[in-house]
Amino acid sequence: MQIKINVNGEDKTVEVKPHEYILDTLRNLGYYSVRRGCDTTSCGLCTILVDGKPILSCGTFAAKCDGHKIITVEGTGEEGKRLAQCIVEEGVDQCGYCSPGFILTVLAMKNELRSPTDDEIKHYLTNNLCRCTGYEGQLRAIRRFLEEV
Amino acid sequence: MKEVTRSIPKVDGLGLILGKPVYTDDLAPKNTLIVKILRSPHAFARIKSINTDIAKKVPGVECILTHEDAPKNRYTRAGQAYPETSPQDTYILDEYVRYVGDDVAIIAATSEESAEKAKKLIKVEYEVLEPILDIEKSEGNSTIIHPEDDSVCLVDSVGYDPSKNVVCKHIFDYGDVDKVLSESDLVLERTYHTQSSHQGFMETYRSATHLDEHGRLVVLSSTQVPFHVRRSLAKAFDMPIGQIRVIKPRVGGGYGGKQSANTEYYPALVTLKTGKPAKIIFTRQENFEAGLPRLPMRLDIKVGANNDGRITAIDLKAIGGSGAHGEHANSVLFATVMKVINLYNKVDAARYRGTGVYTNTVPTGAFRGFGATQGVFALENTINEIAEKLNIDPTVIHDMNMIKQGECAIRFDCNGVKNTGPYEIMQSCGLEQCVKRGKELIGWDEKFPGKQVAPNKFRGVGMAIARQGSGVPYQDMGSATLKLNEDGTFMLLIGATDIGQGSDTILSQICAEAVGIKTEDITVLSSDTDLTPFDSGAYASSTTYVTGNAVKKTGEKMRKMIIEEAARILNVPVRSINFDKGKITIDGISKNMTLGELGKTLLYAQKELIASDSYVCYKSPPPYIAAFAEVEVNTDTGKVFVENFVGVVDIGTPINPTLAKIQAEGGILHGIGMALHEEVRMNDKGKMETNSFMTYKVPTRKDFGNIIVEFDDSYEPSGPYGAKSVGEVTLNTSAPAIREAIYNAVGVRINSLPMTPEKVLMALKNKDRV
Ligand code: FES
Ligand code: FES
């Protein structure tokens, strides 16, 4: 079947299979920042924004995204870059594998929560696993980012 | 020092996290064949027959390979130095399957759907055999897991005996343990069980293969050990090493798990058979079921002490479960003694007996902390109990007995052979300061031992110390090649493997420091066996120390060459040349030259400047940690929550403090996970019950309170600019410190990991009954 999606501001018409997940559609289109880390929707690596809301692309059918706006980390623009800069400065870009999903979730959180406490931040991001960093540095990076914007 | 001890961001940071295509799957050629594996449902069986006729008819299927099609050369997937001490006990595909999840057939198809469909249509007839699932029942069992006669170990001293299911045997002695124990005021005897835990890296095992224009095999792999992978593939396929090229793209985490080649053989076999590119990507489930988690261990320990608090003797026995293959068991069990007992070097006697055994469970391998993690759990638990029995504050008994700066490590006799090797002197050891500082940070004097904070909530504090090494002495080697470009910048070629820890950055900093230039002027190319010089790889906490020294030597050579060439071109004596920050100046003369000018002059008409050097370590200076845990235990549920965890770490002088800190925080959290919830668990048929992130609980950010890390400012004279290693040591103390904190909160001690709410609750019940 054919769907129309807008990825990072670009309109695309793509042929997808009915059982295809949007994760695979995006990877096939060359958006390599979208990654699979599990088979059970429990790691958050594959997070993308659909109409501004974070969703797990490994558990969302491509067909469901028909007519919707998708943002991957490649499309986060200056804001994404600024957050990435904070991450790099805190040294929490270890293997970097979890970073795109993490960045997108933080950006969504910034729009949803007003001056969140540490606990609220942790709660919002619980589903975003990172095995490298121990999370503390990520929290420092988020704090730095939120203070700057 | 300008470039080292500076927290510069990672050289590849931004690209990495903003989604640049840099990982194996991003770089794999498009339109490769997709490789899938049919896996065994039985823990132990012999394959009687495999029928692939129907499966082969599925459209898109290119080939289906079984043990009849695969080469019969035994190899090991473990990626350590040569000669490899793990038994060569693996075929790419074997007639026997030895664990649930073992490989039975390789399917290659043009699409994932075709491969999966074909997989279901393969018919296998098994002769099911009686498995051994328990490490304590393996040695000498009538079931023999490796009955074949062509499995060998390249090293005799390991004690490999497959007829008894024994992968390795260790015998280490120092003094007369029985005598010292019998004369000690107190002897504590304990048994502990540590579980198998999984590295849980986010990027699952994967690799892609193709043939280059010369027909050579090119392997792209998410690995920590590209050079060992090349050697292992050459062995498995009986190919010349020169016919294989291994490239390591960015790696999505390894923590030891990718120190073994786990996937490379499958697509390689497909590519060699079909001539076509192929790739395999393990699903998360496969990653667990056919991964290489930590060796589970049973540890029996006796520790002697006198009433004044002096530890007199340590007697440690370990059985380590190697699973269906012998990968790493020997070196893991070696670490269990060498990186553990030496924490207490003032004992009069010590003994270690270690045995690695086969079982019909997933093969185990390297995991951050290696065997030290398990051994430290046994030793530190027991020391903490001794402190209590003698009514001495644990921080005091540790301070009295632990190894200190300038002291010697124990010299064990091995297998009855007297050790006459050099004494290992601790030139840097900040443990004393680490304990002191950790005590302050956790607020030990106010909080020890613990207090009630609510009717059902109790808090307690506990501590532990640990050490690790920095590279494997007389074995691990790193090399570097440095080239001057015509604009005054440099290319640094290193075989070292950046797996996220930031070694590309750290090694650039060391290089820049040695040459006398800025880190930004260096471009790194790492881990491509065709292009970069040899390196043992990213394991044994070796990169900063071993490759760092190689890079330093190389940088110094380059510096010398630059000065000599400048002197020649400017026609002045060498000793009058100064070179700093990329500028060449001459004493007393206004003439000068930039590095770019020198580069241009040399390159276009004279010669290329290339410096290259290697370093093999002859010692392995240990990093140390003193850790303090503060936990809250809920006596209604048994749940333990780590409120605060303080780790004060001696890693020598950190080359890049920020990167080191993140590594330390990550290591501590791995340890907390292992202490409280992570476990690789099988059912009674050998089927893994914890094969997803739903059931295998890596910590989330809500599963702990705070992790606080500080570094002691020690300096290791043999390290590059004073550095030791940081990778592993931080994991080791979490479990014993938390165990003791639980005891100080609620009065129960848990002797098997993980310390789940069920176990805590059960212990509380039993305690009430007494
Ligand atoms: S891949 Fe793990 S949640 Fe989507
Ligand atoms: S940085 Fe490696 S998993 Fe998060």
Side-chain angles (χ1 to χ4, degrees), chain B residues 48 76 79 88 230 281 342 344 360 438 610 650 765:
Chain B
K48 287 209 277 196
T76 175
Q88 313 281 317
R230 183 175 66 165
I281 295 179
N342 263 310
Y344 299 97
N360 291 108
I610 298 184
D650 162 21
K765 285 231 161 76

Side-chain angles (χ1 to χ4, degrees), chain A residues 92-99 129-133 138, chain B residues 202 252-253 255:
Chain A
V92 271
D93 48 335
Q94 278 229 310
C95 78
Y97 211 68
C98 67
S99 303
L129 297 182
C130 172
R131 187 60 159 169
C132 290
T133 63
Q138 286 188 338
Chain B
M202 287 300 141
Y255 328 115

Side-chain angles (χ1 to χ4, degrees), chain B residues 743-759:
Chain B
Y743 175 76
N744 286 329
V746 294
V748 298
R749 287 197 171 100
I750 313 294
N751 290 345
S752 82
L753 292 178
M755 297 176 278
T756 56
E758 294 88 329
K759 286 184 197 166

Side-chain angles (χ1 to χ4, degrees), chain A residues 23 35-38 41-46 56 58:
Chain A
L23 185 157
R35 298 177 190 135
R36 185 178 267 111
C38 68
T41 59
S42 39
C43 74
L45 251 65
C46 63
L56 298 176
C58 72

Side-chain angles (χ1 to χ4, degrees), chain B residues 128-168:
Chain B
V128 178
L129 305 166
E130 187 62 40
I132 305 171
L133 302 173
D134 184 344
I135 61 170
E136 293 175 39
K137 297 201 177 117
S138 176
E139 186 177 359
N141 197 302
S142 59
T143 293
I144 295 171
I145 295 176
H146 280 270
E148 70 276 359
D149 54 14
D150 58 344
S151 281
V152 292
C153 187
L154 306 180
V155 185
D156 283 342
S157 58
V158 167
Y160 181 53
D161 186 356
S163 72
K164 295 201 169 64
N165 293 323
V166 167
V167 178
C168 61

Side-chain angles (χ1 to χ4, degrees), chain A residues 32-53:
Chain A
Y32 292 124
S33 68
V34 190
R35 298 177 190 135
R36 185 178 267 111
C38 68
D39 328 312
T40 48
T41 59
S42 39
C43 74
L45 251 65
C46 63
T47 307
I48 55 171
L49 303 182
V50 175
D51 303 332
K53 292 254 176 305

Side-chain angles (χ1 to χ4, degrees), chain B residues 219-524:
Chain B
V219 182
L220 236 65
S221 180
S222 180
T223 179
Q224 296 175 223
V225 285
F227 286 91
H228 296 325
V229 166
R230 183 175 66 165
R231 190 183 78 229
S232 178
L233 282 166
K235 177 112 206 265
F237 288 102
D238 196 17
M239 272 167 85
I241 280 186
Q243 284 302 305
I244 304 171
R245 173 183 186 184
V246 178
I247 303 167
K248 174 214 70 88
R250 297 286 118 195
V251 170
Y255 328 115
K258 293 173 184 169
Q259 195 193 336
S260 301
N262 203 1
T263 53
E264 291 80 347
Y265 314 94
Y266 306 118
L269 185 60
V270 170
T271 293
L272 290 172
K273 291 260 180 203
T274 63
K276 295 183 182 173
K279 77 172 175 191
I280 187 164
I281 295 179
F282 272 17
T283 63
R284 183 55 61 184
Q285 186 182 336
E286 278 181 301
N287 205 79
F288 278 113
E289 294 187 349
L292 299 150
R294 191 188 294 283
L295 272 79
M297 281 195 198
R298 176 198 159 113
L299 300 131
D300 295 286
I301 192 168
K302 271 189 240 173
V303 179
N306 284 342
N307 288 334
D308 59 2
R310 195 173 79 83
I311 306 295
T312 53
I314 302 169
D315 183 4
L316 178 64
K317 222 166 92 188
I319 303 173
S322 179
H325 294 278
E327 283 133 16
H328 291 287
N330 178 59
S331 35
V332 167
L333 282 152
F334 180 75
T336 305
V337 56
M338 284 310 172
K339 304 204 184 321
V340 176
I341 295 184
N342 263 310
L343 280 167
Y344 299 97
N345 62 330
K346 296 175 203 53
V347 294
D348 299 322
R351 176 162 65 196
Y352 174 69
R353 297 290 179 267
T355 310
V357 295
Y358 283 128
T359 49
N360 291 108
T361 51
V362 62
T364 54
F367 187 170
R368 195 179 208 174
F370 227 55
T373 310
Q374 295 93 317
V376 161
F377 183 66
L379 181 58
E380 285 298 277
N381 288 346
T382 317
I383 299 284
N384 276 324
E385 281 197 46
I386 286 180
E388 197 214 358
K389 286 244 169 358
L390 297 177
N391 204 11
I392 303 176
D393 185 308
T395 60
V396 174
I397 206 166
H398 274 93
D399 193 58
M400 274 172 73
N401 290 285
M402 69 198 185
I403 192 163
K404 306 222 165 99
Q405 175 120 355
E407 292 181 356
C408 270
I410 294 173
R411 273 201 325 188
F412 281 101
D413 298 337
C414 173
N415 292 340
V417 180
K418 192 113 203 87
N419 183 354
T420 52
Y423 279 102
E424 195 193 338
I425 298 167
M426 298 304 117
Q427 287 180 286
S428 63
C429 172
L431 255 185
E432 247 181 303
Q433 295 84 285
C434 292
V435 170
K436 227 199 206 147
R437 180 67 184 138
K439 248 177 115 164
E440 284 167 20
L441 285 172
I442 199 86
W444 182 264
D445 290 334
E446 306 86 74
K447 289 176 181 166
F448 177 77
K451 63 164 191 257
Q452 185 166 14
V453 291
N456 60 344
K457 285 186 179 155
F458 296 79
R459 287 195 178 205
V461 289
M463 71 155 303
I465 58 172
R467 55 167 263 172
Q468 202 82 30
S470 304
V472 183
Y474 297 94
Q475 275 189 7
D476 282 344
M477 191 193 77
S479 324
T481 300
L482 186 65
K483 300 200 290 184
L484 172 66
N485 296 324
E486 60 265 54
D487 63 351
T489 61
F490 292 85
M491 276 303 303
L492 175 62
L493 313 182
I494 36 177
T497 317
D498 195 327
I499 51 170
Q501 82 282 39
S503 64
D504 283 355
T505 309
I506 286 155
L507 295 173
S508 302
Q509 287 179 262
I510 293 173
C511 182
E513 182 77 24
V515 183
I517 51 170
K518 291 206 299 289
T519 304
E520 294 75 21
D521 289 337
I522 297 174
T523 304
V524 194

